[in-house]
Amino acid sequence: MASVAVKEPKTAITPKKKTKPSRLCYTPPTNIANSKKKILYTRYDCIGEGGFARCFRVRDDNGNIYAAKVIAKASLQNDKTRQKLFGEIKVHQSMSHPNVVGLIDCFEDKTNVYLVLELCEHKSLMELLRKRKLLTEPEVRFLMLQILGALKYMHNKRVIHRDLKLGNIMLDESNNVKIGDFGLAALLMDDEERKMTICGTPNYIAPEILFNSKEGHSFEVDLWSAGVVMYALLVGKPPFQDKEVKTIYKKIKANSYSFPSNIPISSEAKNLIASLLTQDPSVRPSVDDIANHGFFHSGYMASSLPDDILSTQPVWPSTQSRSSFQRNLDYVASAAGVGFGKSAGIEKNKPYALKTDEGDDEHILPSVLSPRDRVNPVMKIGPETKPSSTKLSSIFEAARKTTEETLPSRVKALKEESRSVPKSKLSRSGTTDYEARSGSVSIANLSDNIVWINIKKTALKIGMGLESRPVASSQEPMTAKNILFITKWVDYSNKYGLGYQLSNESVGVHFNDQTSLVFSADENVIEYITHQKNSEAKHTVFSTSKVPDALKNKIYLLKHFKSYMVQNLSRAVQDETLDDIDIKNAGSMVFMHNYLRTRQAIMFRLSNGTYQFNFVDHVKVVVSPGVQGIMVLDKEKEKMVFTLEEACWFTEDLRSRLKYIREVLESWASKLESAR
Ligand SMILES: Nc1ncnc2c1ncn2[C@@H]1O[C@H](COP(=O)(O)OP(=O)(O)OP(=O)(O)O)[C@@H](O)[C@H]1O
């Protein structure tokens, strides 16, 4: 195996003189305050240095740990460098993707500007490659999918990263990709705009940046760099590497690179690298073309990378069933947002304007950049191993075990997560693949306008309530009695679907084929719902004595789900009799429209517009239709109902949960929007 040191010039090249600052910041004080937001950060050790900034581990007053990138104001004396920093912050602020480093906060004091970032515990691919020399193809397959997901997301927002390289691709503690450093990113005003600036890092720079300065460049430059990254991960050094920058450029121009014969690399991998390193940007494949490439459909597909990849080369199983490959691929691709066959459209009507305040000696940051109240939840929809037993009851046991016991131990307290990308390892080994189906299937089939509007409105109302802005309401506030919610559920979606019991005692199953069955509490009525893409669900009602033969199997399963839940599961609330439930809900055939797993919760959306979040710490929050009432079921299964008008009395914990809910809904709505 070749063992070649990986080196890349630290500073990106820019058209004019190097913008390397005269000095990096001094070590900041132990206590750093965002005085506007009244957040105090405690500074710990220095975890990295760039040409422009130093990075320190910091902890906020809630105990969340982040990385603070600290830029000395002394190095921001000229307008160009300031504008560059504003640009970086502004672009970074607009990013919210699981594979992009989250920008949590941004503020300044007299000496420095601070960017508080999601902490990437496992450093960058540069460090990984330094230690490992080479990565295995399954690792590269996994990492490339996440890189492509992040690129697709950026490009949809008309952002070109322009400095994609090993050092800017970091890894979180679960070895998920986090792309950072938007210092050279460009935001295009429209799809036709071309960028003329020559910038990038020599080894990774696309030929059109260097040699086609008249026509400019666009999104394709990032795909070239992704090709360089992929080559480097498999070979151990970038394809055009040389001591002399001039020679690197000559090699890029001549497209002169080869694969060493002593490293076994599959023909699919070589072929993909070759297509990414296509000289002509107009024929370079799009992100989704690449995701459909044979490299992502052969070999071994992992659903996550082992913890110790930094020190140990993983040994992958020599065989993998087609279904396991596909399940893991779907999972990784859907979490990263890489579609198979879907086109990577550019978001329309999103003109960009960087507003800056007029010059102010004291304040480097325009007020539009600071402070920022930002939550960055991650939609994580994730499977893992297949349950070994096929017995219905034991699978149900496994499902409950996963959701009720395993998850909480993997997740930090919610207050930590609300302002950061959580450090949860929910997606890692030990979870079951029940989680996978739900998210991907549900999202794909919910591109319905009405649902989208409902999600948006709910998110908006929650946001307004939290900001104590008056929320228009024409309806009666809800009471605990008339809020309908899910009291029990069991996830068997690796085979059939997800079963649930509602607080009005009706029972339903959301089948994997996008149909639902609901059984009324008195067992006299059965309703069958087919969820159809882009149109309203179709409902058919039967009396229990007259069900069509075609539904007999599903009804059989529904009954199994019901008896399992009745016999094995406790209710989400303290025991109460049917009489306690408002009669308005009894017998109404509300059903679970869809469900979604995030890292911190499972969310159910009921057909009446109720959103229920069962958090991994067992607290449940039910947002009733139109946010007329918010019901909290605490760990002791006690119910409390609030209205948004009471938001100023909410505990920090409830505010955090509602912020999280709002962000999940917003993320979900934008996913639906981009799927339309
Ligand atoms: N979110 C993060 N989590 C952990 N470490 C980080 C994070 N962001 C940056 N670092 C570390 O800090 C170092 C400096 O950060 P960064 O590269 O962004 O600074 P820079 O001066 O803007 O870089 P450049 O020299 O490429 O312009 C990185 O090399 C990395 O080791």
Side-chain angles (χ1 to χ4, degrees):
M1 285 206 184
S3 132
V4 192
V6 187
K7 273 191 189 157
E8 56 194 13
K10 270 209 156 184
T11 313
I13 56 158
T14 52
K16 300 229 171 97
K17 247 174 57 185
K18 270 192 176 177
T19 52
K20 198 165 175 166
S22 52
R23 64 187 161 91
L24 294 171
C25 70
Y26 291 111
T27 301
T30 315
N31 292 315
I32 311 166
N34 177 347
S35 45
K36 284 193 190 164
K37 259 181 157 177
K38 299 195 172 41
I39 299 175
L40 193 67
Y41 294 94
T42 311
R43 176 196 50 78
Y44 295 99
D45 52 319
C46 178
I47 49 177
E49 263 183 35
F52 181 51
R54 292 174 78 196
C55 228
F56 295 85
R57 198 183 303 268
V58 294
R59 181 179 178 276
D60 74 3
D61 24 24
N62 283 328
N64 303 308
I65 309 286
Y66 300 113
K69 182 166 163 175
V70 187
I71 302 124
K73 281 188 175 176
S75 68
L76 297 168
Q77 295 302 348
N78 68 51
D79 280 351
K80 269 242 154 90
T81 43
R82 284 184 192 211
Q83 284 303 329
K84 187 173 166 279
L85 179 65
F86 299 162
E88 173 177 352
I89 297 169
K90 193 72 193 158
V91 168
H92 203 158
Q93 275 184 334
S94 70
M95 299 281 123
S96 176
H97 185 275
N99 303 114
V100 173
V101 175
L103 175 58
I104 309 295
D105 195 4
C106 162
F107 59 96
E108 63 188 314
D109 62 17
K110 282 205 169 128
T111 22
N112 298 314
V113 172
Y114 302 88
L115 309 190
V116 179
L117 303 163
E118 182 187 358
L119 178 67
C120 300
E121 284 280 12
H122 287 180
K123 304 206 162 170
S124 76
L125 294 185
M126 172 66 84
E127 280 85 20
L128 175 65
L129 208 55
R130 266 204 198 115
K131 287 206 176 125
R132 287 274 309 280
K133 315 297 180 204
L134 293 178
L135 299 193
T136 61
E137 287 199 16
E139 289 171 287
V140 175
R141 192 169 289 118
F142 177 92
L143 296 168
M144 285 300 290
L145 270 179
Q146 296 197 332
I147 292 169
L148 292 175
L151 288 183
K152 178 175 173 180
Y153 172 83
M154 286 176 214
H155 295 177
N156 279 349
K157 286 187 159 276
R158 292 209 185 95
V159 170
I160 323 176
H161 187 282
R162 302 202 296 185
D163 202 14
L164 190 72
K165 58 182 180 183
L166 296 175
N168 287 338
I169 304 171
M170 284 179 275
L171 296 174
D172 69 7
E173 60 165 11
S174 306
N175 292 323
N176 288 307
V177 161
K178 301 277 170 179
I179 296 181
D181 199 348
F182 286 82
L184 293 181
L187 212 149
L188 302 189
M189 305 297 271
D190 58 55
D191 303 353
E192 273 65 55
E193 190 191 343
R194 311 282 300 167
K195 284 287 167 193
M196 311 309 276
T197 315
I198 301 175
C199 63
T201 299
N203 266 318
Y204 299 82
I205 202 163
E208 63 269 28
I209 298 181
L210 293 169
F211 309 112
N212 205 350
S213 46
K214 272 193 203 142
E215 286 187 27
H217 60 266
S218 189
F219 305 108
E220 305 85 11
V221 300
D222 287 338
L223 294 166
W224 172 279
S225 308
V228 175
V229 167
M230 181 171 168
Y231 179 102
L233 295 176
L234 289 170
V235 174
K237 59 169 189 163
F240 308 105
Q241 174 136 310
D242 198 278
K243 276 182 271 160
E244 296 289 328
V245 172
K246 255 192 205 163
T247 316
I248 294 177
Y249 294 161
K250 268 190 195 161
K251 287 183 175 177
I252 292 173
K253 188 170 190 180
N255 205 237
S256 160
Y257 70 94
S258 58
F259 292 97
S261 55
N262 59 335
I263 302 173
I265 299 173
S266 69
S267 54
E268 286 89 1
K270 288 180 183 171
N271 182 287
L272 176 54
I273 291 168
S275 56
L276 289 165
L277 299 182
T278 299
Q279 291 288 106
D280 181 352
S282 66
V283 291
R284 218 169 280 152
S286 75
V287 170
D288 284 317
D289 293 340
I290 299 161
N292 281 320
H293 189 278
F295 177 68
F296 296 108
H297 298 272
S298 54
Y300 185 84
M301 183 69 220
S303 62
S304 63
L305 296 182
D307 284 341
D308 57 354
I309 56 161
L310 282 173
S311 53
T312 314
Q313 174 172 316
V315 179
W316 302 104
S318 55
T319 56
Q320 184 178 30
S321 70
R322 201 61 228 160
S323 60
S324 153
F325 184 100
Q326 196 57 46
R327 193 171 55 241
N328 290 348
L329 179 65
D330 287 348
Y331 164 51
V332 178
S334 64
V338 182
F340 290 95
K342 282 190 220 142
S343 66
I346 303 298
E347 265 185 35
K348 304 287 176 200
N349 308 319
K350 292 263 162 84
Y352 173 68
L354 172 62
K355 288 191 223 133
T356 55
D357 291 352
E358 288 308 309
D360 166 349
D361 287 345
E362 181 94 346
H363 300 289
I364 295 265
L365 293 177
S367 61
V368 290
L369 298 179
S370 164
R372 184 152 190 269
D373 187 8
R374 185 171 188 282
V375 187
N376 197 354
V378 177
M379 292 260 204
K380 197 86 188 180
I381 307 148
E384 197 60 31
T385 50
K386 232 183 162 174
S388 51
S389 166
T390 48
K391 235 177 102 196
L392 193 67
S393 60
S394 58
I395 290 172
F396 283 179
E397 287 294 350
R400 295 312 303 181
K401 208 163 161 30
T402 303
T403 53
E404 299 293 333
E405 290 165 22
T406 324
L407 303 189
S409 65
R410 295 200 181 118
V411 182
K412 296 250 168 192
L414 191 85
K415 62 179 182 180
E416 280 191 29
E417 136 244 326
S418 66
R419 292 182 57 251
S420 68
V421 175
K423 290 165 131 202
S424 153
K425 288 195 175 184
L426 196 68
S427 62
R428 300 185 59 71
S429 57
T431 53
T432 66
D433 50 64
Y434 311 178
E435 298 159 76
R437 299 280 193 110
S438 54
S440 48
V441 170
S442 307
I443 283 178
N445 287 290
L446 263 176
S447 51
D448 168 351
N449 271 349
I450 300 162
V451 174
W452 180 79
I453 290 167
N454 187 279
I455 299 167
K456 287 290 270 191
K457 273 191 174 169
T458 308
L460 189 75
K461 275 196 176 177
I462 294 172
M464 286 170 71
L466 289 174
E467 285 162 21
S468 300
R469 283 155 62 189
V471 182
S473 165
S474 54
Q475 286 156 280
E476 284 287 299
M478 304 292 271
T479 63
K481 277 189 172 184
N482 54 20
I483 293 180
L484 192 62
F485 62 100
I486 287 175
T487 52
K488 297 179 179 182
W489 59 278
V490 60
D491 190 342
Y492 193 20
S493 57
N494 69 326
K495 272 218 148 167
Y496 303 114
L498 190 141
Y500 53 92
Q501 183 184 59
L502 288 167
S503 51
N504 63 4
E505 304 281 328
S506 61
V507 169
V509 179
H510 183 94
F511 290 102
N512 290 343
D513 65 357
Q514 298 302 301
T515 61
S516 289
L517 265 184
V518 199
F519 212 177
S520 65
D522 57 12
E523 302 200 352
N524 285 332
V525 182
I526 287 183
E527 190 162 334
Y528 184 59
I529 304 111
T530 49
H531 308 270
Q532 287 158 333
K533 204 176 175 186
N534 297 326
S535 64
E536 290 206 20
K538 202 174 136 207
H539 299 245
T540 323
V541 179
F542 309 97
S543 93
T544 325
S545 55
K546 283 189 190 160
V547 285
D549 282 351
L551 283 184
K552 289 224 159 107
N553 282 345
K554 282 184 174 166
I555 288 165
Y556 175 79
L557 282 169
L558 172 69
K559 286 183 176 165
H560 262 288
F561 271 100
K562 181 169 179 173
S563 70
Y564 176 81
M565 286 189 286
V566 169
Q567 284 163 28
N568 297 286
L569 304 183
S570 62
R571 295 165 60 102
V573 272
Q574 287 194 346
D575 273 346
E576 54 191 323
T577 64
L578 248 182
D579 303 338
D580 291 335
I581 307 293
D582 193 309
I583 199 70
K584 264 189 277 176
N585 288 324
S588 73
M589 299 298 260
V590 170
F591 59 95
M592 190 186 74
H593 200 292
N594 63 306
Y595 62 104
L596 178 76
R597 281 191 189 277
T598 70
R599 281 192 177 182
Q600 305 300 313
I602 180 164
M603 186 215 71
F604 304 105
R605 182 181 183 278
L606 303 186
S607 57
N608 66 350
T610 298
Y611 296 85
Q612 176 169 342
F613 281 71
N614 287 13
F615 287 93
V616 289
D617 63 355
H618 300 290
V619 174
K620 296 158 185 84
V621 177
V622 183
V623 178
S624 72
V627 205
Q628 294 306 308
I630 295 163
M631 184 167 81
V632 180
L633 289 158
D634 68 15
K635 290 173 196 164
E636 278 71 48
K637 303 184 176 182
E638 291 287 353
K639 277 196 267 184
M640 287 157 286
V641 175
F642 305 94
T643 63
L644 272 183
E645 286 73 44
E646 295 163 331
C648 55
W649 307 109
F650 290 175
T651 60
E652 259 319 297
D653 182 73
L654 178 56
R655 294 183 73 82
S656 295
R657 288 175 201 269
L658 287 169
K659 272 187 182 182
Y660 183 79
I661 290 172
R662 186 193 72 197
E663 288 288 323
V664 168
L665 295 180
E666 276 172 359
S667 273
W668 186 21
S670 33
K671 267 186 183 237
L672 293 179
E673 196 179 3
S674 56
R676 284 195 295 179

